[in-house]
Amino acid sequence: VQLQASGGGLVQAGGSLRLSCAASGQIFSISVMGWYRQARGKQRELVATITNAGSTNYADFVMGRFTISRDNAKNTAYLQMNSLKPGDTAVYYCNAVIRRDGQVTYNDYWGQGTQVTVSS
């Protein structure tokens, strides 16, 4: 099972980016998909999560600027980020809780991270 994150880049303050996270491999089902971020010198923190039923959870700092969504048929999650601030600069990691074919338990998987840089 692999998670491939994409969509990061350099944007000016106030701009927007859309991140994608595609899960591939022998996947039976995915329960939760989410995005986390880690700024230089800081711990990794939750940004947003979404369940397979579409229930969402956001960090307080998102404050209505970001929207997480997913396409269950494509095993893909998205993070639409608007009104970006320099403080949003970080490496963004996607996460998914996945049950593989032939297994009965769910396990955590992480993508490789995508850099988001917001200039002032």
Side-chain angles (χ1 to χ4, degrees):
V1 171
Q2 289 186 328
L3 296 182
Q4 182 67 46
S6 61
L10 173 65
V11 65
Q12 288 187 332
S16 299
L17 284 173
R18 187 188 192 216
L19 306 183
S20 298
C21 173
S24 61
Q26 296 178 319
I27 297 170
F28 180 80
S29 68
I30 303 175
S31 60
V32 181
M33 299 187 80
W35 290 94
Y36 293 73
R37 71 185 190 184
Q38 187 167 18
R40 186 172 299 179
K42 296 186 177 181
Q43 291 188 331
R44 190 173 298 188
E45 60 183 353
L46 168 73
V47 177
T49 61
I50 184 168
T51 70
N52 54 7
S55 295
T56 58
N57 178 53
Y58 294 95
D60 289 343
F61 63 75
V62 168
M63 292 185 295
R65 301 181 296 128
F66 298 176
T67 302
I68 190 170
S69 60
R70 68 189 275 179
D71 184 333
N72 291 330
K74 295 181 178 179
N75 290 332
T76 300
Y78 306 94
L79 185 68
Q80 177 66 43
M81 303 187 293
N82 299 326
S83 302
L84 283 162
K85 306 173 183 179
D88 295 317
T89 296
V91 178
Y92 283 70
Y93 296 92
C94 65
N95 169 268
V97 183
I98 297 174
R99 177 182 172 185
R100 297 180 61 177
D101 288 341
Q103 294 188 350
V104 297
T105 58
Y106 285 84
N107 293 288
D108 249 3
Y109 292 86
W110 290 90
Q112 82 284 9
T114 183
Q115 177 70 46
V116 171
T117 303
V118 184
S119 63
S120 57

